[in-house]
Amino acid sequence: MKRLTLAQAYELAESILLHNGFNPAHARAVSATVLAGERDGCASHGLYRVLGCVNSLRAGKVSADAVPRVIDQAPSIVRVDAAGGFSQLAFQAGLPLLQEKTRANGIAALAINHCVHFSALWVEIEQLTAAGLVALACNPSHAWVAPAGGNQPVFGTNPIAFGWPRPGRDPFVFDFATSAIARGDIELHRRAGKAIPEGWGVDAHGQPSTDANVVLDSGAMLTFGGHKGSALAAMVELIAGPLIGDLTSAESLAWDGGSKSSPYHGELIIALDPQRFLGAATEEHLARAEVLFTGIEGQGARLPSQRRYEARARSEVEGVQIPLALFNDLQALLKG
């Protein structure tokens, strides 16, 4: 393992992205996101993702210098055309107007179009909860996941994330794929030469497989919860695909053309302002929410993201550790 301070981890990511042709704005935005993943113990969305970012650029599947264009679509709708760049910069561009519209109307949506996406959604959700807003986000990806009862990929991993602000405390946040596991976790098993648990994927004939290579290269991933995860995955395809005029996971995979680049599609973020819903009763009802959280934790159950927050606290003191093989692969991207 290779230990890095958080500053060193950020510098490593940023220097690789700059060296390979990303402009400073994109390099900063992407580096901050992968650092957040590594810091919070989410290795599948941490520094490992820099490899995919560079691969996507070399394959001609992401713009290194795209300038996002913000469009004031409607009283409660913001659109941002990412112009083929990574989603991070597009989100930053649209965030101020999204917050303004949410405070004015109580609810507003941000549709990001034509973006390349690889990251966890909680990084964006936490920026909204920090502003005191409730938030929901989702997006398709590449068609890697079979629907319940099928064996051919149709859905992406299609994550859904939700955040609830808690004044003076870490927000209540969950962020999970509608697949049984994030694809990045299967990829990390492949890199480590480890078998995956049953229930994560099937082979080309729809038979259960514990071989990461089989699932990733010729089979399909599975949804969580059978038909329930499958229905949620379909919902994400619809509201973050056709509803916002962007690609489904199958269309994204076709656009990829076998380059194995990051998915190209859209993202939908919905924000709600408790102050506009509740007015003078806001504090009263937010306090009632705390009773719910106490009821969960009081019986020994863990709130979503608790492990992540604990990892964050450790990383801020101890730094992070990544496999030496990954560190060497990242270092190689600084040569040539």
Side-chain angles (χ1 to χ4, degrees):
M1 300 295 286
K2 175 70 175 180
R3 184 173 292 278
L4 302 167
T5 66
L6 294 184
Q8 289 171 332
Y10 176 88
E11 182 181 357
L12 175 61
E14 185 182 42
S15 61
I16 291 169
L17 296 170
L18 290 171
H19 179 77
N20 283 274
F22 287 95
N23 73 9
H26 279 286
R28 286 192 299 268
V30 171
S31 296
T33 293
V34 298
L35 176 67
E38 200 68 53
R39 176 202 65 196
D40 283 15
C42 302
S44 63
H45 290 82
L47 289 171
Y48 161 72
R49 292 287 177 165
V50 174
L51 303 176
C53 292
V54 174
N55 176 69
S56 296
L57 182 63
R58 290 177 175 176
K61 296 297 184 179
V62 67
S63 171
D65 56 4
V67 178
R69 182 169 65 95
V70 179
I71 303 158
D72 190 339
Q73 179 79 9
S76 289
I77 300 175
V78 185
R79 300 182 79 100
V80 178
D81 185 347
F86 280 122
S87 61
Q88 284 77 17
L89 207 58
F91 177 77
Q92 290 180 5
L95 181 60
L97 186 54
L98 173 64
Q99 291 178 326
E100 178 184 325
K101 287 179 178 289
T102 305
R103 302 233 184 267
N105 300 299
I107 184 170
L110 168 61
I112 300 176
N113 292 117
H114 313 127
C115 71
V116 182
H117 195 280
F118 67 86
S119 56
L121 294 173
W122 57 259
V123 180
E124 297 168 359
I125 290 290
E126 284 193 16
Q127 295 179 61
L128 290 163
T129 56
L133 302 176
V134 176
L136 179 73
C138 61
N139 62 262
S141 58
H142 281 336
W144 292 314
V145 183
N151 59 19
Q152 299 299 310
V154 172
F155 303 136
T157 53
N158 293 14
I160 300 172
F162 172 82
W164 180 274
R166 301 180 69 193
R169 305 187 187 190
D170 291 321
F172 174 86
V173 175
F174 68 73
D175 179 1
F176 55 76
T178 52
S179 54
I181 192 71
R183 188 172 179 86
D185 284 297
I186 301 181
E187 291 171 343
L188 290 178
H189 276 70
R190 170 153 69 180
R191 286 180 63 88
K194 295 167 55 179
I196 62 173
E198 282 196 18
W200 285 12
V202 294
D203 64 19
H205 305 291
Q207 297 302 307
S209 177
T210 60
D211 188 325
N213 291 295
V214 168
V215 171
L216 292 175
D217 295 335
S218 59
M221 299 169 62
L222 295 174
T223 60
F224 81 88
H227 67 281
K228 296 180 180 180
S230 189
L232 287 172
M235 179 194 74
V236 171
E237 292 285 340
L238 295 170
I239 65 173
L243 179 65
I244 65 170
D246 223 305
L247 302 187
T248 63
S249 295
E251 291 168 336
S252 175
L253 187 62
W255 174 88
D256 182 73
S259 72
K260 296 185 179 180
S261 299
S262 297
Y264 175 70
H265 49 69
E267 178 182 349
L268 177 66
I269 302 105
I270 301 170
L272 305 94
D273 184 4
Q275 291 280 350
R276 292 291 282 176
F277 274 85
L278 299 167
T282 300
E283 290 189 11
E284 173 193 347
H285 293 295
L286 291 183
R288 292 176 57 239
E290 292 302 315
V291 175
L292 171 66
F293 298 137
T294 299
I296 296 170
E297 294 180 295
Q299 55 184 294
R302 186 178 64 246
L303 294 178
S305 294
Q306 184 176 324
R307 285 182 179 174
R308 200 164 54 76
Y309 296 141
E310 291 168 354
R312 181 182 302 183
R314 286 195 304 272
S315 297
E316 288 172 349
V317 175
E318 302 172 1
V320 296
Q321 290 190 94
I322 63 173
L324 186 58
L326 173 58
F327 179 74
N328 290 337
D329 287 344
L330 291 169
Q331 287 290 107
L333 294 178
L334 288 169
K335 300 174 183 178

